[in-house]
Amino acid sequence: MKRFKKTFNDQQVPSDRDSGVALRNAESKWGPNPMTLGGFIVALLMVLTFVFSVAFFLGDLPSDCLWTLAEARIFRLKPSKATFSEDIPQPLTAPKDKLLGGLLPSGFDETSCLSRYESPLYSKGLQHKPSSYLISGLRRYEALHKQCGPYTELYNRTVDLIKSGEYSSDSSVCNYVVWISYSGLGNRILTLTSAFLYALLTNRILLVDPRVNLSDLFCEPFPEVSWLLPPDFSIIDQFNSFNKKSPHSYGYMVRSNVTQNSRKPSFLYLHLSHDFDVQDKLFFCDTDQTFLHKVPWLLVKSNNYYVPALFLIPSFEQELNNLFPEKETVFHFLGRYLFHPTNSVWGLITRYYQAYLAQADEKIGIQIRLFNFGAGDFKYVLNQILACTTKENLLPQVNLNEPIVNSSGKTKTVSVLMTSLSPRYFEEIRNMYWENPTVTGEIVSVFQPSNEERQQTEKLMHDRKAWAEMYLLSLTDKLVTTAWSTFGYVAHSLGGLKPWILYKFKNGTVHDPPCFRAVSLEPCYHSPPYYDCKKKTESFNSVNIVSHVRHCEDNSLGLKLFDRKGEL
């Protein structure tokens, strides 16, 4: 002890000179030796990896941390033997038709939109074959879009009509339908598809509202010329004020007898949302289509997939039959044609797919969207989900009596992709399959990319995640969706899947049966016009007009397209 005290007391505070020597000695020890520094970095990375792994398996990390980790590293997927193991399921490596049977145009710069041509590596491709008439129609449209798109001579000439307030009968002037962004992302995708089909049927050019995140979510679908309405469009600042009472709306003009004038307006606003008036519904009548055909600019706002009602217009019937011999394929084809994730969103999709879904023998999607949900309904909804997935043999039951269940042969792996604004359902189902073996010995892994808690319409990162999750759900083998959900409609229609649909949640008991199988790939038109164009009165017999339009399985007042052969 005395020796220790003496040694301690004899120590002196180093001078500046001594500090400099010490620093140089330290630099000599660490700086020139890269092996020592490299070893230190490797050790640090190993420690951080261990800490993260422990935190992850103990549940301390939020599920949307998976998105954060995925966003942290960006790489381009180059499918090859060097990229993928031979154990990865065949759809990832099998050569596929990049143009989807001619549905997609060629000539794009592939690096500008990787998803356009890489998507067949992940999806099962088109579940039906597009008609040659549809393919040639799309090529004709692309040529017209190139001729009349933004900033072309014909576009500038037609824009001048709005500025002058006059209508020109010049046949060389192009006609347009302008889609105005409205409602959530699922609704926007469905209404944009509806507007494009209307453009195909009426020889118009589709231009889309540039004020939202569209260019950050979707690649340009048409070669060479953008589909974005130029931001200097003369009346773009009026878009937010358009509603069914607007003087420029077609319904208002009908009520005011303005349409009886010989002078045609240079533009009209079409209000096709759920709250449209009787006069707005005249849009779906042949005689009114004749009038609208003469108006160069039609601006449309909707929150509904109004494609089924276009099939009720007699003058469109033959063209639609030629385009879509199989009636339930409208969105499946047009959705795959129009909506290609941008590289930023494609990175989210591919990284998540590779990390959590690619190695599974089977991929099951479960999409949950709750409307008017009460806090006490959680257990009820959870039981309904479990009842559906086990009764329909989508997921195996768990064995509560045995700690381990041995299965004969190779163990089947199942990855479950869940999407919901809440993490609670994911946590319960994940824990159930973690804490208990399955009766069949299958290994079930459950994942949820994000839990945003609430819908945040038009917020960029929220929309990116939502679009990525819709696309990921479309890549699953089997899918469970929620009734009335446009998010679910987009996912199953893009993937060509007929989902099991959970009955709309009601307080009290689990619905028996808990879910039902859809008979069509098509989305539901929630608020159809139900208008008799001949009698000029509202009517609920529209569903009887054509054989391939029926009421929706999840909405008795809604309409959807289907093929008789697909009816159960």
Side-chain angles (χ1 to χ4, degrees):
M1 181 64 71
K2 290 181 180 179
R3 184 182 305 165
F4 172 78
K5 289 181 179 179
K6 183 178 186 302
T7 303
F8 182 82
N9 292 333
D10 288 344
Q11 290 180 347
Q12 297 179 354
V13 177
S15 65
D16 292 341
R17 178 178 178 276
D18 295 331
S19 298
V21 171
L23 179 59
R24 286 192 297 273
N25 290 338
E27 290 174 346
S28 176
K29 180 178 180 180
W30 294 101
N33 191 341
M35 294 296 294
T36 304
L37 181 59
F40 174 77
I41 293 174
V42 169
L44 180 60
L45 289 175
M46 292 176 63
V47 171
L48 290 176
T49 302
F50 175 78
V51 172
F52 171 79
S53 301
V54 172
F56 181 86
F57 285 107
L58 291 179
D60 293 331
L61 291 174
S63 61
D64 62 354
C65 180
L66 300 177
W67 272 142
T68 305
L69 293 172
E71 292 158 16
R73 47 191 183 89
I74 300 175
F75 63 89
R76 177 182 176 185
L77 178 67
K78 295 183 178 179
S80 68
K81 292 182 179 179
T83 304
F84 299 117
S85 163
E86 293 180 357
D87 294 332
I88 293 180
Q90 186 68 13
L92 278 176
T93 57
K96 295 196 176 182
D97 177 16
K98 293 197 299 184
L99 299 182
L100 301 180
L103 187 72
L104 302 183
S106 59
F108 278 100
D109 173 16
E110 295 193 21
T111 61
S112 66
C113 182
L114 299 174
S115 67
R116 192 190 317 275
Y117 301 124
E118 287 186 356
S119 60
L121 296 169
Y122 297 88
S123 68
K124 295 179 287 293
L126 294 176
Q127 299 304 295
H128 299 262
K129 183 179 180 180
S131 68
S132 58
Y133 194 87
L134 172 61
I135 292 172
S136 60
L138 293 174
R139 299 296 89 81
R140 288 195 300 272
Y141 174 84
E142 291 157 9
L144 184 63
H145 194 96
K146 181 179 178 180
Q147 183 182 14
C148 299
Y151 299 119
T152 60
E153 180 183 350
L154 291 176
Y155 168 84
N156 293 335
R157 190 188 307 175
T158 316
V159 166
D160 288 340
L161 296 178
I162 295 181
K163 295 178 181 178
S164 64
E166 298 180 357
Y167 168 71
S168 171
S169 59
D170 184 356
S171 60
S172 66
V173 174
C174 301
N175 291 332
Y176 299 85
V177 55
V178 177
W179 172 85
I180 299 176
S181 178
Y182 175 50
S183 196
L185 183 58
N187 298 72
R188 280 181 276 161
I189 291 174
L190 295 178
T191 58
L192 187 44
T193 306
S194 304
F196 178 64
L197 179 56
Y198 181 69
L200 280 180
L201 295 171
T202 56
N203 207 36
R204 289 178 178 270
I205 300 300
L206 172 69
L207 296 178
V208 302
D209 192 342
R211 302 169 304 150
V212 292
N213 302 320
L214 214 69
S215 61
D216 294 301
L217 301 175
F218 310 114
C219 301
E220 292 279 357
F222 313 128
E224 299 188 52
V225 181
S226 176
W227 68 339
L228 294 175
L229 183 72
D232 60 357
F233 187 65
S234 57
I235 57 172
I236 197 170
D237 58 343
Q238 300 180 38
F239 283 4
N240 287 338
S241 64
F242 285 151
N243 55 53
K244 62 183 179 182
K245 297 180 180 179
S246 300
H248 293 295
S249 75
Y250 183 61
Y252 181 91
M253 290 187 174
V254 171
R255 289 190 294 272
S256 305
N257 294 319
V258 176
T259 56
Q260 303 302 317
N261 299 338
S262 58
R263 181 186 175 190
K264 300 297 185 293
S266 58
F267 78 93
L268 277 175
Y269 165 64
L270 303 173
H271 188 78
L272 302 182
S273 295
H274 68 282
D275 61 344
F276 52 3
D277 288 334
V278 172
Q279 291 78 16
D280 297 311
K281 298 177 181 180
L282 294 175
F283 168 81
F284 297 101
C285 296
D286 255 337
T287 54
D288 295 82
Q289 281 298 321
T290 301
F291 174 86
L292 294 172
H293 181 71
K294 302 174 183 178
V295 181
W297 288 94
L298 297 178
L299 316 176
V300 60
K301 183 187 291 185
S302 178
N303 58 355
N304 269 283
Y305 180 70
Y306 53 89
V307 163
L310 296 179
F311 278 78
L312 303 179
I313 301 175
S315 60
F316 293 163
E317 184 176 4
Q318 187 57 54
E319 184 73 3
L320 287 168
N321 286 336
N322 293 337
L323 290 169
F324 304 100
E326 296 179 280
K327 303 301 180 292
E328 66 172 329
T329 61
V330 177
F331 185 84
H332 183 54
F333 289 149
L334 297 186
R336 294 294 294 271
Y337 173 77
L338 288 173
F339 304 111
H340 307 285
T342 56
N343 287 350
S344 58
V345 179
W346 190 238
L348 292 176
I349 294 168
T350 56
R351 289 189 296 269
Y352 202 91
Y353 186 94
Q354 289 295 319
Y356 305 107
L357 303 177
Q359 301 288 355
D361 295 318
E362 187 173 40
K363 295 173 282 293
I364 306 295
I366 302 177
Q367 179 262 336
I368 305 167
R369 179 70 168 97
L370 305 178
F371 306 92
N372 302 319
F373 179 69
D377 295 334
F378 167 74
K379 196 65 177 179
Y380 162 75
V381 175
L382 177 64
N383 290 339
Q384 184 173 2
I385 296 168
L386 294 175
C388 173
T389 53
T390 55
K391 182 176 181 179
E392 300 295 335
N393 296 316
L394 302 174
L395 290 177
Q397 295 182 341
V398 296
N399 190 325
L400 301 177
N401 300 318
E402 300 291 337
I404 296 177
V405 175
N406 294 320
S407 60
S408 59
K410 182 179 180 295
T411 302
K412 179 182 178 182
T413 58
V414 179
S415 284
V416 181
L417 176 70
M418 298 188 66
T419 65
S420 174
L421 292 174
S422 168
R424 296 183 66 189
Y425 303 98
F426 152 72
E427 291 168 350
E428 287 283 340
I429 296 176
R430 178 199 59 187
N431 291 343
M432 181 182 76
Y433 283 108
W434 181 29
E435 296 168 359
N436 306 282
T438 60
V439 294
T440 54
E442 296 170 283
I443 302 299
V444 178
S445 303
V446 186
F447 308 101
Q448 179 172 325
S450 70
N451 50 86
E452 301 285 281
E453 297 292 348
R454 60 184 180 83
Q455 185 170 327
Q456 303 170 53
T457 301
E458 297 184 3
K459 182 179 177 182
L460 178 56
M461 199 59 225
H462 179 84
D463 280 351
R464 281 181 178 174
K465 292 178 181 179
W467 175 218
E469 290 181 0
M470 289 182 207
Y471 207 97
L472 283 166
L473 286 171
S474 78
L475 302 179
T476 58
D477 300 309
K478 298 174 183 177
L479 182 59
V480 177
T481 63
T482 303
W484 288 58
S485 173
T486 56
F487 191 109
Y489 293 162
V490 171
H492 81 71
S493 296
L494 275 181
L497 301 168
K498 292 182 180 179
W500 284 262
I501 303 176
L502 295 166
Y503 279 95
K504 196 171 183 181
F505 305 126
K506 296 180 180 179
N507 295 331
T509 59
V510 175
H511 195 284
D512 187 20
C515 59
F516 56 92
R517 187 77 183 273
V519 300
S520 169
L521 305 180
E522 278 289 290
C524 177
Y525 180 11
H526 286 165
S527 305
Y530 288 125
Y531 185 81
D532 190 320
C533 294
K534 293 181 178 179
K535 296 180 180 180
K536 302 294 183 183
T537 59
E538 291 187 281
S539 170
F540 287 91
N541 294 322
S542 302
V543 72
N544 299 322
I545 296 176
V546 291
S547 61
H548 44 265
V549 176
R550 58 165 289 168
H551 290 295
C552 307
E553 305 96 328
D554 59 337
N555 182 345
S556 60
L557 295 179
L559 296 180
K560 74 182 301 183
L561 297 168
F562 81 114
D563 290 301
R564 287 287 183 185
K565 63 182 181 180
E567 190 169 17
L568 297 179

